[in-house]
Amino acid sequence: MKLNRRHLLAGATLIAASRPGLGRAAKDPIRIGVPTALTGPYADLGNQVKRATDFAVDAANEAGGIDGRQVEVRYLDTEGRADLAREQGEKLALSGYNLLMSTIASGEGLAIGPQLQRWNAIYISTVNKADDITGKACNRRMFRVNHPDSSDVAVVQPWLKQQKQRKWAIQAGDTAWGHNSGMSFSNAAQADGRIVEVEQYSPFGTNDYAPYIQKIVDSGAEGLWVALAGRDAITFAQQARQFGLLDNVFTAGVSFIADNQVKTLGDAAKGIVGIINYSSTLDTPGNKAFVAAWQKKYPGTTPTNFEAEGYLGTEVLFQAVKKAGSVVPADVGRAMEGTTFATIFGDALLRKEDHQLMTPNFFGYVGIVDGVAKPIINMTVAADVAFPQPNGNCKLTG
Amino acid sequence: MIRIAVFLFAGVAGALLPALLGSPLLLTLLTQAVINAILATGVGFLVRQNGLVSFGHAGFFGLGAYIVAVSTTNEWMPIGAALLVAILAPTLLALLLGAAMLRLAGVAFSMLTLAVAQAFYELAMRWRSLANGDDGIAAQLPGRILGLDSSLFQQAGSMFVICWIVLMLVLFGLSVLIAIPFGTLTLAIRENEERARFIGYHTILPRAAIYALSAAIAALAGVLFALYNGFVTPNVLYWGLSGEALVMAVVGGTRAVWGPALGALLFFLLKNAAGDLTEHWPAIIGGTLILVTVLLPRGASGTIALLMQRMGVRTA
């Protein structure tokens, strides 16, 4: 018998019919673009985000994908700079990785936001803290799963009432988040009858904090509020310890007692208090499963707060893709609005009014656990208290 | 006539490019490259006509961009007026600075240009209430700009055509300028200022005018940058951008007015290709610059002109 095209076609149809799934077109993959700080002062934070995203993507693919879709991720370095974030975000989005996540500096997220419609992309903040992300700069394509400054303030206010220090100093980064945090703390302190003696903002990547420390010492402040992260936080804490500032002035902060910073500072961090946005000891089924899987993959470690926040972003994204049945950014975005997601913090609502995920927030101190300095939670603020109402400045344009 | 025909042909050929390129990523990269080409043209023209190296043209570029962003965000003036001020203010500033700084020669002049640009950088970093510091500022563009839908300025396909036409107009204008007596005079001053003065010419004002013109071109590039990106950060004022523009001019060569623009296109494409290959892309750029300087001292345009000359074709 001579083989002709009709025979070949019939044969191919038979083979396709005998192999389930082979005849169907594969679903589009989930393509995640992560423009983040892999070098520069925020490199440590960016690499934590990268580790967590890799962890989530590998886990999803090993389990057969999300809703039958493979997950792909691509990272580009932004050095924590707003202009580079815009450039790298564009590169990622226009090359198909248009589900963007996890820049570090708030300025980066604010630079990406206005471009999302033009790039046909969405952006999920997992680290940016400036209120404007879900406030006056919010738009239909921008979402946040981490705690904004306003949520941290909701934690600080009741804590501050219990403190005896009357005179305070503020040391923050000269960035959108630094100013946001400094102003919020200043307002909270003054509303409680405290005096802010010094409020100073150091440029991103400062190496010499001596003039700032001297000014705090000279001011006679009894308490110090610090809003610094990454290398800036470590440099400041080390120099403050050398100058004896941390021994003489009660020190508290936000992002200042993050896991990796405490690990790097060791004993120098002991006694510092502050806002803790996540702890691996969180008692929820989702978190227990996450920590167990993390320890299996990275033995001898527990997830840090920035790793957990990065993972939280992927949890929300994957569930939204499943709900939307699509990887088209606008569809995924719509699926996020007003949806309750199963997360490491428990069930959490992503508010449709300002695109903010509502999770509990925490306060704690640096203590010694098994001979190692670690942030320890001693106050939990429920999600509805930490996120009292949608940001009124958000008009959700675009 | 030949000059007009050449620029018309180049203009039309470039304008057809978006229809031929399918990739939006490539189009956006090319648009950014053309904006850089306009900046490099300004820097290269200063080298060509005045024999002076500026380490501070990012100052004029950034000033143009910031004036657009700040004035639209604060609704200080209509967009047409904002665009005009964004080009005129840096030009006037350069004219005044030039009249003072051009009395200094060589490195001293270059250092002063650097100092002025860095002063604007520091201003943008520290004047947070106006420029939002390190976080940058978004330009709140109106629905229509100069009678055109503002989305035309923010989509790569249309913006590439706009920028390409602007580049062609700038190059055409400069090629006319170097052919008229004023162009010859500035070249004569560049070659021997004392002799030009001795035969009765004022030497400072023509050189200041060239400096102001090169600043205007840089500011024009800054305006296009702000319109396209809709976002400006202090890095547009930083000396690193001035250095990049100078490298583009060196790679392209400054003997032809179109050399720096060619250098900018080569630089931008090389930078992006190298950036995709490795995080250490500056090493590749540095190596290329060394090779070009050693092997092609006239730059890419000089080499092309030399080859064309050997084939009997005249170039501008």
Side-chain angles (χ1 to χ4, degrees):
Chain A
M1 188 177 79
K2 271 176 77 179
L3 276 176
N4 60 25
R5 271 194 302 183
R6 196 178 296 168
H7 289 121
L8 286 173
L9 193 65
T13 311
L14 260 176
I15 293 167
S18 66
R19 303 265 310 266
L22 196 68
R24 291 196 299 265
K27 285 183 175 176
D28 288 333
I30 300 170
R31 290 207 170 100
I32 304 173
V34 185
T36 199
L38 300 174
T39 59
Y42 285 163
D44 183 42
L45 278 65
N47 282 297
Q48 289 178 62
V49 159
K50 183 175 184 290
R51 196 159 40 245
T53 313
D54 281 339
F55 170 82
V57 169
D58 290 348
N61 286 334
E62 280 162 18
I66 302 295
D67 197 24
R69 300 173 192 276
Q70 283 297 292
V71 187
E72 297 171 13
V73 61
R74 192 176 171 209
Y75 303 92
L76 285 178
D77 185 14
T78 65
E79 300 173 20
R81 282 168 42 191
D83 59 324
L84 267 183
R86 198 212 61 75
E87 204 176 287
Q88 304 290 48
E90 182 173 50
K91 225 178 195 183
L92 287 166
L94 296 184
S95 54
Y97 291 81
N98 50 11
L99 302 169
L100 300 173
M101 296 176 61
S102 304
T103 64
I104 305 299
S106 293
E108 296 182 273
L110 292 169
I112 282 178
Q115 316 291 332
L116 293 169
Q117 189 161 13
R118 170 172 143 193
W119 298 343
N120 184 27
I122 57 166
Y123 171 68
I124 303 172
S125 156
T126 66
V127 181
N128 309 147
K129 275 187 167 294
D131 286 336
D132 282 353
I133 295 274
T134 45
K136 71 176 182 195
C138 77
N139 70 56
R140 286 240 164 263
R141 289 169 176 261
M142 190 146 69
F143 302 84
R144 170 157 49 200
V145 299
N146 62 301
H147 299 89
D149 181 60
S150 55
S151 167
D152 292 341
V153 170
V155 177
V156 163
Q157 279 167 335
W159 167 81
L160 193 59
K161 285 186 192 303
Q162 299 162 11
Q163 306 311 310
K164 61 177 193 293
Q165 294 79 13
R166 307 305 303 169
K167 292 197 278 183
W168 284 81
I170 297 169
Q171 178 67 48
D174 192 6
T175 60
W177 163 62
H179 279 268
N180 209 162
S181 179
M183 193 176 73
S184 301
F185 184 83
S186 177
N187 290 342
Q190 285 168 23
D192 198 44
R194 320 277 168 145
I195 302 161
V196 176
E197 297 284 351
V198 180
E199 188 175 340
Q200 49 188 2
Y201 299 90
S202 47
F204 181 49
T206 294
N207 289 318
D208 180 13
Y209 282 94
Y212 299 98
I213 292 168
Q214 194 56 49
K215 218 167 161 189
I216 296 166
V217 172
D218 292 345
S219 74
E222 300 152 343
L224 168 65
W225 180 257
V226 185
L228 293 168
R231 198 172 75 201
D232 288 348
I234 291 169
T235 310
F236 175 77
Q238 281 171 336
Q239 292 179 15
R241 179 65 83 194
Q242 286 160 7
F243 277 77
L245 184 74
L246 301 184
D247 299 326
N248 299 320
V249 177
F250 176 69
T251 305
V254 57
S255 289
F256 192 51
I257 57 168
D259 302 72
N260 269 20
Q261 276 143 227
V262 171
K263 200 169 145 192
T264 307
L265 291 169
D267 282 351
K270 202 175 147 193
I272 300 175
V273 303
I275 288 164
I276 298 172
N277 294 139
Y278 164 84
S279 166
S280 57
T281 58
L282 207 59
D283 190 15
T284 66
N287 186 55
K288 282 179 177 167
F290 167 54
V291 174
W294 184 274
Q295 287 180 319
K296 201 173 162 192
K297 182 151 184 162
Y298 305 112
T301 67
T302 51
T304 65
N305 59 322
F306 294 114
E307 284 163 345
E309 287 171 335
Y311 180 77
L312 178 63
T314 60
E315 279 190 309
V316 169
L317 175 66
F318 292 163
Q319 289 172 59
V321 168
K322 225 173 196 173
K323 185 184 172 195
S326 162
V327 287
V328 174
D331 296 343
V332 178
R334 270 192 295 277
M336 283 194 206
E337 285 184 336
T339 301
T340 298
F341 294 94
T343 75
I344 50 176
F345 288 93
D347 287 349
L349 171 72
L350 198 140
R351 225 163 25 194
K352 67 176 178 192
E353 293 87 351
D354 60 354
H355 288 184
Q356 173 65 54
L357 187 75
M358 294 168 67
T359 52
N361 207 348
F362 314 93
F363 203 91
Y365 63 97
V366 179
I368 304 295
V369 180
D370 299 331
V372 180
K374 283 192 102 147
I376 298 165
I377 289 173
N378 61 2
M379 184 175 107
T380 300
V381 177
D384 56 339
V385 180
F387 296 90
Q389 55 195 4
N391 192 317
N393 294 321
C394 175
K395 304 291 176 227
L396 284 184
T397 55
Chain B
M1 273 310 284
I2 293 173
R3 185 182 294 132
I4 293 173
V6 167
F7 279 105
L8 263 180
F9 175 76
V12 171
L16 290 174
L17 208 57
L20 301 173
L21 294 174
S23 160
L25 179 60
L26 191 56
L27 258 182
T28 196
L29 289 176
L30 280 174
T31 307
Q32 305 269 12
V34 174
I35 293 170
N36 277 277
I38 298 171
L39 170 64
T41 298
V43 174
F45 190 67
L46 184 67
V47 177
R48 186 189 193 278
Q49 292 302 111
N50 275 8
L52 290 169
V53 173
S54 168
F55 290 145
H57 261 49
F60 304 120
F61 178 90
L63 206 53
Y66 263 100
I67 288 173
V68 172
V70 171
S71 59
T72 53
T73 303
N74 295 303
E75 297 177 356
W76 283 346
M77 56 188 108
I79 184 72
L83 298 182
L84 199 65
V85 172
I87 296 170
L88 286 183
T91 308
L92 192 64
L93 178 71
L95 191 68
L96 296 172
L97 286 173
M101 298 192 316
L102 285 162
R103 292 167 203 281
L104 300 167
V107 177
F109 170 81
S110 301
M111 287 298 109
L112 271 180
T113 60
L114 175 66
V116 170
Q118 283 302 100
F120 281 113
Y121 170 77
E122 286 299 326
L123 197 68
M125 286 288 281
R126 305 209 178 260
W127 196 349
R128 200 167 179 90
S129 59
L130 181 77
N132 206 29
D134 203 13
D135 294 312
I137 183 170
Q140 305 293 334
L141 301 176
R144 297 190 79 76
I145 298 170
L146 303 176
L148 297 170
D149 193 314
S150 66
S151 66
L152 287 174
F153 293 89
Q154 301 219 304
Q155 284 162 5
S158 47
M159 191 55 173
F160 173 80
V161 176
I162 292 170
C163 293
W164 183 256
I165 290 170
V166 170
L167 176 63
M168 288 303 117
L169 288 174
V170 167
L171 291 176
F172 177 73
L174 294 182
S175 71
V176 170
L177 187 82
I178 59 170
I180 62 173
F182 177 75
T184 315
L185 170 65
T186 50
L187 278 185
I189 297 169
R190 183 194 76 182
E191 290 305 311
N192 194 328
E193 187 179 353
E194 201 174 7
R195 181 174 290 180
R197 204 182 304 125
F198 185 71
I199 57 179
Y201 287 108
H202 287 288
T203 58
I204 293 293
L205 199 60
R207 295 171 79 212
I210 292 292
Y211 184 56
L213 180 61
S214 75
I217 296 168
L220 178 63
V223 166
L224 293 170
F225 176 89
L227 290 177
Y228 182 54
N229 291 297
F231 193 82
V232 183
T233 66
N235 283 302
V236 297
L237 292 156
Y238 197 54
W239 69 267
L241 180 63
S242 301
E244 271 190 7
L246 198 58
V247 169
M248 291 169 195
V250 171
V251 169
T254 56
R255 292 189 189 197
V257 287
W258 50 270
L262 176 65
L265 295 176
L266 294 173
F267 178 89
F268 208 83
L269 296 176
L270 175 70
K271 181 179 155 184
N272 274 287
D276 285 342
L277 285 176
T278 170
E279 278 176 22
H280 309 291
W281 61 266
I284 297 178
I285 300 285
T288 308
L289 183 64
I290 293 168
L291 281 178
V292 168
T293 313
V294 173
L295 301 176
L296 308 171
R298 295 164 179 232
S301 65
T303 309
I304 292 170
L306 195 67
L307 291 173
M308 290 173 81
Q309 213 172 17
R310 284 185 186 164
M311 292 188 312
V313 182
R314 276 190 64 217
T315 57

